[in-house]
Amino acid sequence: MSIIQKTATEQLALLRSGEITSVELTQAYLNRIHQVEPAIGAFLRVESEAALTQAAEVDRKRETGEPLGKLAGLPVAIKDILCTKDTPTTCGSKMLENFVPPYNATVVEKLQAADAVILGRTNMDEFAMGSSTENSAYHPTQNPWDTSRIPGGSSGGAAACISADMAPLSLGTDTGGSIRQPAALCGCVGLKPTYGRVSRYGLIAFASSLDQIGPLAKTVEDVALLMEVLAGHDALDSTSVDTPVPAYSGSVHQPLESLTLGVVNQHFGAGIDAEIEAAVKQAIATYTSLGATIKNIEMPHADYGIATYYIIAPCEASSNLARYDGAHYGYRTDHAELVEDGTDEGPLVRMYRKTRSEGFGAEVQRRIMLGTYALSEGYYDAFYLKALKVRRLIRQDYDNAFGEVDMIIGPVTANAAFSKGEKTSDPMAMYLEDLYTVTANLAGVAGISLPCGFTKSGLPIGLQLQAAPFQEEKLLRAAQMFQNATDFHTRRPEL
Ligand code: GLN
């Protein structure tokens, strides 16, 4: 087995024992990227030189016996939505093509403090809006299991680089499913932490009350390792919560002595693909054989998740994206703004309009229009306020459920990875990709996606476990129990 096929935890042990250096490991990944990236397109930028410099610095520290961080020498790929000081951060948008942040996101600071090596920036749907990474303004990303298919989104690059062995660890963001759904479709593990568990400072905002940063990796223990570094209170994000961060990677191998899992009937209603349903039911049976108790639970408002999410997320997006006006920063139209174009707008308004219509792609414009409409006078009460009330009811459903069960078990998606272009002309079909994931964001609870099978045509299937707020430790332990009993996480696509 080559070094890049090993898990991050195994690589860390080899780095610590001196069997490999960080430069060797980083170079092995850069070679792999060179070889397979043309077919996958997981990255927007590979930062080879900077990565090798960081790796050499970690090796030097190790040699001289200086204290080292928890990820010392491990390469990490980061979604291009996280600000990094003095290096471009595009958010998958033409609007931020030339944006160079003057500061680091808190998670980037944490990675640096942990002595991780930043390999490069992964591709994503523009402003994290999408479920297929086809909305990137730069290029699409291909699913490593079948390059004619999408890798999921919006963190499609973050998931594809893991399953194609182009990075051992990556960071994604999840507003309505963007970590869990691509993890499921690419056959890796992805954790959406509780809202407030990880600082959002320096994360380019899509929908601020829903966005969370989280880890992706090949295994549950690797996700635990990275999560331990990311989590924690941050004075720079007032929504981050000040509760202690458990040693996730230390406890992940302790099986839970008692585990009650809730199954939601609506998850297996019309629309779910038969192979997905069978794999998830098999996973439930695996938990039963591990001693878990299974209970049917009601989530009476789950059916309203998509409608609620697709009001709240666009409303927040329309407000967050108002800052991209061509005047403050980011793209500005080079259309001679004073040229009359037949409208009765003044030159400033014309500049705003042209900048925004040229700088944003179609999906982002659609979200801004939906959000602006739902927030406008006369519609605010009917749409936005109503959605907030339903959101509260969904949270109530979760609170009731977690009074009865430890975790909820179910599918991540209703189907395996679909073909490129299959849903691009049908926004509703694309939005329905998020059926099983958005409710966790609306309620702010934690969720994890892990491999639980393959379709007959060889595409990965994901299993979702959701837990009450700040129960990531238990969630990871329960996920590890499943991983110990199965081998789906060990399979890799042929490339
Ligand atoms: N697919 C969902 C959307 O398009 C979720 C995206 C996300 O989680 N960033 O909004």
Side-chain angles (χ1 to χ4, degrees), residues 128-131 154 174-178 206 309-310 367 434:
M129 298 174 190
S131 301
S154 65
D174 193 311
T175 303
S178 282
F206 161 13
Y309 173 84
Y310 279 98
R367 304 283 178 112
D434 309 320

PDB file of all heavy atoms in Angstrom, residues 128-131 154 174-178 206 309-310 367 434, ligand 1:
ATOM      1  N   ALA A 128     -21.117  28.430  -2.354  1.00  0.00           N
ATOM      2  CA  ALA A 128     -21.634  27.214  -1.682  1.00  0.00           C
ATOM      3  C   ALA A 128     -23.095  26.936  -1.997  1.00  0.00           C
ATOM      4  O   ALA A 128     -23.785  26.251  -1.245  1.00  0.00           O
ATOM      5  CB  ALA A 128     -21.403  27.272  -0.169  1.00  0.00           C
ATOM      6  N   MET A 129     -23.570  27.459  -3.125  1.00  0.00           N
ATOM      7  CA  MET A 129     -24.966  27.243  -3.502  1.00  0.00           C
ATOM      8  C   MET A 129     -25.038  26.178  -4.590  1.00  0.00           C
ATOM      9  O   MET A 129     -24.734  26.445  -5.757  1.00  0.00           O
ATOM     10  CB  MET A 129     -25.577  28.551  -4.017  1.00  0.00           C
ATOM     11  CG  MET A 129     -25.582  29.629  -2.950  1.00  0.00           C
ATOM     12  SD  MET A 129     -26.141  31.188  -3.604  1.00  0.00           S
ATOM     13  CE  MET A 129     -25.747  32.255  -2.219  1.00  0.00           C
ATOM     14  N   GLY A 130     -25.417  24.985  -4.185  1.00  0.00           N
ATOM     15  CA  GLY A 130     -25.541  23.922  -5.166  1.00  0.00           C
ATOM     16  C   GLY A 130     -25.282  22.575  -4.526  1.00  0.00           C
ATOM     17  O   GLY A 130     -24.896  22.483  -3.351  1.00  0.00           O
ATOM     18  N   SER A 131     -25.523  21.524  -5.285  1.00  0.00           N
ATOM     19  CA  SER A 131     -25.372  20.164  -4.778  1.00  0.00           C
ATOM     20  C   SER A 131     -24.574  19.300  -5.736  1.00  0.00           C
ATOM     21  O   SER A 131     -24.634  18.078  -5.679  1.00  0.00           O
ATOM     22  CB  SER A 131     -26.755  19.530  -4.581  1.00  0.00           C
ATOM     23  OG  SER A 131     -27.506  20.292  -3.671  1.00  0.00           O
ATOM     24  N   SER A 154     -22.058  21.463  -1.960  1.00  0.00           N
ATOM     25  CA  SER A 154     -21.150  22.357  -2.641  1.00  0.00           C
ATOM     26  C   SER A 154     -19.680  22.038  -2.409  1.00  0.00           C
ATOM     27  O   SER A 154     -18.822  22.485  -3.171  1.00  0.00           O
ATOM     28  CB  SER A 154     -21.432  23.794  -2.212  1.00  0.00           C
ATOM     29  OG  SER A 154     -21.140  23.965  -0.829  1.00  0.00           O
ATOM     30  N   ASP A 174     -20.971  23.308   5.455  1.00  0.00           N
ATOM     31  CA  ASP A 174     -22.278  22.675   5.313  1.00  0.00           C
ATOM     32  C   ASP A 174     -23.344  23.660   5.772  1.00  0.00           C
ATOM     33  O   ASP A 174     -23.425  23.996   6.948  1.00  0.00           O
ATOM     34  CB  ASP A 174     -22.282  21.401   6.181  1.00  0.00           C
ATOM     35  CG  ASP A 174     -23.448  20.460   5.904  1.00  0.00           C
ATOM     36  OD1 ASP A 174     -24.589  20.950   5.872  1.00  0.00           O
ATOM     37  OD2 ASP A 174     -23.211  19.238   5.760  1.00  0.00           O
ATOM     38  N   THR A 175     -24.137  24.137   4.818  1.00  0.00           N
ATOM     39  CA  THR A 175     -25.217  25.089   5.107  1.00  0.00           C
ATOM     40  C   THR A 175     -26.554  24.363   5.052  1.00  0.00           C
ATOM     41  O   THR A 175     -27.503  24.702   5.756  1.00  0.00           O
ATOM     42  CB  THR A 175     -25.169  26.236   4.072  1.00  0.00           C
ATOM     43  OG1 THR A 175     -23.880  26.831   4.116  1.00  0.00           O
ATOM     44  CG2 THR A 175     -26.236  27.291   4.330  1.00  0.00           C
ATOM     45  N   GLY A 176     -26.590  23.345   4.149  1.00  0.00           N
ATOM     46  CA  GLY A 176     -27.813  22.556   4.011  1.00  0.00           C
ATOM     47  C   GLY A 176     -27.486  21.107   3.666  1.00  0.00           C
ATOM     48  O   GLY A 176     -28.375  20.342   3.296  1.00  0.00           O
ATOM     49  N   GLY A 177     -26.201  20.772   3.723  1.00  0.00           N
ATOM     50  CA  GLY A 177     -25.809  19.400   3.386  1.00  0.00           C
ATOM     51  C   GLY A 177     -24.476  19.312   2.674  1.00  0.00           C
ATOM     52  O   GLY A 177     -24.031  18.226   2.299  1.00  0.00           O
ATOM     53  N   SER A 178     -23.821  20.422   2.476  1.00  0.00           N
ATOM     54  CA  SER A 178     -22.645  20.488   1.599  1.00  0.00           C
ATOM     55  C   SER A 178     -21.408  19.748   2.046  1.00  0.00           C
ATOM     56  O   SER A 178     -20.456  19.645   1.276  1.00  0.00           O
ATOM     57  CB  SER A 178     -22.271  21.935   1.328  1.00  0.00           C
ATOM     58  OG  SER A 178     -23.144  22.463   0.372  1.00  0.00           O
ATOM     59  N   PHE A 206     -22.665  32.503   3.456  1.00  0.00           N
ATOM     60  CA  PHE A 206     -23.783  32.212   2.542  1.00  0.00           C
ATOM     61  C   PHE A 206     -25.048  32.479   3.358  1.00  0.00           C
ATOM     62  O   PHE A 206     -25.731  33.484   3.144  1.00  0.00           O
ATOM     63  CB  PHE A 206     -23.628  30.776   2.041  1.00  0.00           C
ATOM     64  CG  PHE A 206     -24.849  30.099   1.468  1.00  0.00           C
ATOM     65  CD1 PHE A 206     -26.010  30.798   1.141  1.00  0.00           C
ATOM     66  CD2 PHE A 206     -24.819  28.725   1.208  1.00  0.00           C
ATOM     67  CE1 PHE A 206     -27.128  30.136   0.599  1.00  0.00           C
ATOM     68  CE2 PHE A 206     -25.927  28.073   0.665  1.00  0.00           C
ATOM     69  CZ  PHE A 206     -27.077  28.782   0.389  1.00  0.00           C
ATOM     70  N   TYR A 309     -35.974  25.670   4.279  1.00  0.00           N
ATOM     71  CA  TYR A 309     -34.572  25.987   3.984  1.00  0.00           C
ATOM     72  C   TYR A 309     -34.473  26.911   2.767  1.00  0.00           C
ATOM     73  O   TYR A 309     -33.705  27.876   2.780  1.00  0.00           O
ATOM     74  CB  TYR A 309     -33.795  24.699   3.722  1.00  0.00           C
ATOM     75  CG  TYR A 309     -32.383  24.930   3.234  1.00  0.00           C
ATOM     76  CD1 TYR A 309     -31.343  25.167   4.125  1.00  0.00           C
ATOM     77  CD2 TYR A 309     -32.082  24.943   1.866  1.00  0.00           C
ATOM     78  CE1 TYR A 309     -30.050  25.404   3.678  1.00  0.00           C
ATOM     79  CE2 TYR A 309     -30.794  25.181   1.409  1.00  0.00           C
ATOM     80  CZ  TYR A 309     -29.781  25.411   2.323  1.00  0.00           C
ATOM     81  OH  TYR A 309     -28.507  25.656   1.866  1.00  0.00           O
ATOM     82  N   TYR A 310     -35.246  26.620   1.728  1.00  0.00           N
ATOM     83  CA  TYR A 310     -35.132  27.421   0.495  1.00  0.00           C
ATOM     84  C   TYR A 310     -35.869  28.759   0.574  1.00  0.00           C
ATOM     85  O   TYR A 310     -35.946  29.477  -0.418  1.00  0.00           O
ATOM     86  CB  TYR A 310     -35.481  26.589  -0.751  1.00  0.00           C
ATOM     87  CG  TYR A 310     -34.274  25.762  -1.159  1.00  0.00           C
ATOM     88  CD1 TYR A 310     -34.151  24.423  -0.789  1.00  0.00           C
ATOM     89  CD2 TYR A 310     -33.205  26.347  -1.834  1.00  0.00           C
ATOM     90  CE1 TYR A 310     -33.016  23.686  -1.107  1.00  0.00           C
ATOM     91  CE2 TYR A 310     -32.075  25.617  -2.155  1.00  0.00           C
ATOM     92  CZ  TYR A 310     -31.974  24.290  -1.800  1.00  0.00           C
ATOM     93  OH  TYR A 310     -30.836  23.586  -2.119  1.00  0.00           O
ATOM     94  N   ARG A 367     -30.906  32.857  -6.180  1.00  0.00           N
ATOM     95  CA  ARG A 367     -31.048  32.908  -4.718  1.00  0.00           C
ATOM     96  C   ARG A 367     -31.250  34.351  -4.240  1.00  0.00           C
ATOM     97  O   ARG A 367     -32.027  34.607  -3.328  1.00  0.00           O
ATOM     98  CB  ARG A 367     -29.813  32.325  -4.016  1.00  0.00           C
ATOM     99  CG  ARG A 367     -29.443  30.919  -4.416  1.00  0.00           C
ATOM    100  CD  ARG A 367     -30.337  29.882  -3.773  1.00  0.00           C
ATOM    101  NE  ARG A 367     -29.939  28.564  -4.260  1.00  0.00           N
ATOM    102  CZ  ARG A 367     -29.365  27.626  -3.515  1.00  0.00           C
ATOM    103  NH1 ARG A 367     -29.138  27.833  -2.238  1.00  0.00           N
ATOM    104  NH2 ARG A 367     -29.036  26.465  -4.043  1.00  0.00           N
ATOM    105  N   ASP A 434     -31.219  17.839  -1.230  1.00  0.00           N
ATOM    106  CA  ASP A 434     -30.941  18.187   0.172  1.00  0.00           C
ATOM    107  C   ASP A 434     -32.024  17.713   1.130  1.00  0.00           C
ATOM    108  O   ASP A 434     -32.014  18.076   2.305  1.00  0.00           O
ATOM    109  CB  ASP A 434     -30.798  19.711   0.306  1.00  0.00           C
ATOM    110  CG  ASP A 434     -29.830  20.292  -0.703  1.00  0.00           C
ATOM    111  OD1 ASP A 434     -28.798  19.667  -0.946  1.00  0.00           O
ATOM    112  OD2 ASP A 434     -30.123  21.364  -1.268  1.00  0.00           O
TER     113      ASP A 434
HETATM  114  N1  GLN B   1     -27.350  22.234  -1.672  1.00  0.00           N
HETATM  115  C1  GLN B   1     -27.744  23.219  -0.703  1.00  0.00           C
HETATM  116  C2  GLN B   1     -27.868  24.552  -1.364  1.00  0.00           C
HETATM  117  O1  GLN B   1     -27.678  24.642  -2.514  1.00  0.00           O
HETATM  118  C3  GLN B   1     -26.769  23.243   0.444  1.00  0.00           C
HETATM  119  C4  GLN B   1     -25.528  23.974   0.175  1.00  0.00           C
HETATM  120  C5  GLN B   1     -24.609  24.027   1.319  1.00  0.00           C
HETATM  121  O2  GLN B   1     -24.743  23.284   2.291  1.00  0.00           O
HETATM  122  N2  GLN B   1     -23.681  24.965   1.246  1.00  0.00           N
HETATM  123  O3  GLN B   1     -28.159  25.533  -0.740  1.00  0.00           O
END
